[in-house]
Amino acid sequence: MRNNLKKARNAAGLTHRQMAIMLGIHERYYKAVESGERLGAIWMWDRLEDLFGINQRVLRENHPGTGDSRQIRPDNQQS
């Protein structure tokens, strides 16, 4: 689970759906990135850094054991 990303989204009062719309991606994909299941595209992390004013390295921190235990898949692989 990427707790820092989740905290930033919640502090901004945004839902998963609103974030997805702002980023121009599917809600399911955004949820997978926030949960740590997907890595996320570089452009997306750049945009998140701009939106929240938080360094993307901080936003990308993955905290093992705080979400599900599914393996992270690169973005170019199908589910």
Side-chain angles (χ1 to χ4, degrees):
M1 172 73 70
R2 291 187 170 104
N3 288 333
N4 295 335
L5 178 56
K6 182 178 179 178
K7 286 178 187 176
R9 177 181 57 78
N10 287 332
L14 298 168
T15 65
H16 290 122
R17 181 173 172 75
Q18 290 169 320
M19 285 301 305
I21 290 168
M22 290 174 73
L23 294 168
I25 60 176
H26 291 280
E27 181 179 359
R28 183 176 175 182
Y29 180 69
Y30 179 80
K31 286 181 178 181
V33 171
E34 187 176 286
S35 72
E37 180 184 345
R38 294 286 194 156
L39 296 175
I42 293 171
W43 68 264
M44 188 189 78
W45 291 108
D46 289 341
R47 179 78 172 119
L48 289 166
E49 182 177 53
D50 292 343
L51 286 169
F52 296 126
I54 300 172
N55 188 290
Q56 59 183 276
R57 287 183 179 170
V58 174
L59 293 172
R60 283 192 315 247
E61 287 178 6
N62 202 7
H63 302 275
T66 58
D68 61 41
S69 59
R70 291 179 281 186
Q71 185 175 1
I72 297 174
R73 296 186 312 259
D75 291 330
N76 60 353
Q77 290 184 355
Q78 296 295 321
S79 301

